[in-house]
Amino acid sequence: MGLGAALLGFGPPPQPYIWAVPGALIPTGSDVSIFCRTPPGVTTVRLYHYEPYGRWFDHTPEGAQEVFEFSLQRMTHENVGVYYCEYRKGGEWSQKSDLLNLVMTGVYKEKPSLTVDSGPQGFSERNVTLLCHTPHSFDTFIFCRGGNASLPQNCSSQSHNTFLISPVSPGHRRTYRCFGSTKNNSFFWSLPSDPLELSIPVSPLKNHQYISPVENVRNIDRRELRNSSARFLYGGDLFLYILEPLVIWDVLGL
């Protein structure tokens, strides 16, 4: 049955909704609040710490309360893991909410760096490869899309430090970060890398200048780049326009 039928008292109670503020990626020692939203008239709301500890916290509503806050002070290793909400209404427990993965960042103090692969296979008309460089011997690398990287669902975890963006097309504009972690402690991440913004304009730019080959990018005078209105690094069919700090403009098909 649908949500409307459930609200009228037919079928199982509707699913609660769970989220975290300021987000699900929390720096070590910071505070976080987990919220659960339910329909009105519930008698008990339960936040279950599903993994790895298997414990729960109950909340009794006041009046017609529908949003419930569970505060976690000073993020520690005991707070990480998988959470979900459920509630009791009319003597029956609801279905579980979606799972919330709470991750602690900054556990490892080594800060990764994120770059674009400038090798012959690093980028093309359709693909861009990012490299996450870490001084620590991590066996797990997390690439996150978005400036604040606060949502694990915007992140991809893998066992190698290269991340392929495919396909790329005009209009693509997104910021990326990376983290390091280990398979044995997947809820413990390193400090985040600095943000890397990747942008592909819709319209080709004109009056561009070429610098070739792309491997010589490290030898280019940064003052010269800052004083130039348009400097392009050529690599096959992909052009990179460099702005400081850490802004990459990709122009395809020129």
Side-chain angles (χ1 to χ4, degrees), residues 123-128 164-169 252:
F123 49 74
S124 68
E125 289 185 357
R126 298 182 180 274
N127 305 318
V128 174
L164 177 64
I165 305 172
S166 177
V168 291
S169 57
L252 305 179

Side-chain angles (χ1 to χ4, degrees), residues 49-55 77-82 187:
H49 193 177
Y50 178 64
E51 182 186 340
Y53 293 104
R55 57 187 178 181
H77 70 281
E78 294 183 352
N79 301 135
V80 303
V82 182
F187 297 110

Side-chain angles (χ1 to χ4, degrees), residues 14-248:
Q15 183 183 30
Y17 182 70
I18 186 172
W19 72 97
V21 176
L25 305 185
I26 307 300
T28 304
S30 299
D31 298 339
V32 59
S33 291
I34 298 178
F35 290 87
C36 300
R37 184 167 63 207
T38 71
V42 304
T43 55
T44 304
V45 176
R46 175 168 294 176
L47 175 68
Y48 201 89
H49 193 177
Y50 178 64
E51 182 186 340
Y53 293 104
R55 57 187 178 181
W56 63 86
F57 311 90
D58 284 346
H59 202 308
T60 301
E62 299 178 0
Q65 184 178 1
E66 299 180 26
V67 177
F68 302 85
E69 179 180 3
F70 298 84
S71 297
L72 305 178
Q73 304 295 321
R74 298 187 59 81
M75 185 72 172
T76 68
H77 70 281
E78 294 183 352
N79 301 135
V80 303
V82 182
Y83 291 80
Y84 67 80
C85 292
E86 58 184 0
Y87 62 88
R88 189 174 181 86
K89 183 178 181 181
E92 182 180 4
W93 282 101
S94 71
Q95 58 182 314
K96 299 176 177 62
S97 69
D98 292 336
L99 299 180
L100 172 70
N101 295 303
L102 204 62
V103 172
M104 185 164 62
T105 65
V107 178
Y108 309 102
K109 302 306 179 184
E110 297 87 350
K111 182 177 180 178
S113 61
L114 185 61
T115 63
V116 175
D117 184 1
S118 59
Q121 303 300 321
F123 49 74
S124 68
E125 289 185 357
R126 298 182 180 274
N127 305 318
V128 174
T129 300
L130 303 182
L131 294 175
C132 186
H133 308 270
T134 60
H136 192 279
S137 56
F138 294 114
D139 57 17
T140 302
F141 302 89
I142 303 99
F143 292 85
C144 298
R145 299 166 293 278
N148 57 8
S150 63
L151 302 174
Q153 58 263 38
N154 293 337
C155 301
S156 300
S157 177
Q158 55 193 41
S159 59
H160 52 88
N161 70 334
T162 59
F163 180 66
L164 177 64
I165 305 172
S166 177
V168 291
S169 57
H172 179 99
R173 184 182 182 91
R174 186 165 287 174
T175 303
Y176 297 87
R177 290 179 184 263
C178 74
F179 298 80
S181 184
T182 64
K183 294 178 181 178
N184 293 332
N185 295 292
S186 60
F187 297 110
F188 298 156
W189 293 8
S190 71
L191 293 169
S193 69
D194 290 330
L196 178 72
E197 185 174 74
L198 185 64
S199 179
I200 303 174
V202 175
S203 300
L205 300 178
K206 298 180 180 180
N207 300 322
H208 48 270
Q209 302 176 27
Y210 300 111
I211 300 175
S212 179
V214 69
E215 287 80 4
N216 291 332
V217 61
R218 294 182 180 86
N219 299 323
I220 298 173
D221 190 330
R222 289 180 175 269
R223 291 172 299 177
E224 183 181 356
L225 282 174
R226 284 195 293 267
N227 295 333
S228 176
S229 59
R231 289 279 182 166
F232 289 83
L233 308 179
Y234 176 64
D237 295 321
L238 179 69
F239 295 82
L240 299 181
Y241 178 38
I242 304 299
L243 294 177
E244 297 219 350
L246 291 174
V247 179
I248 301 177

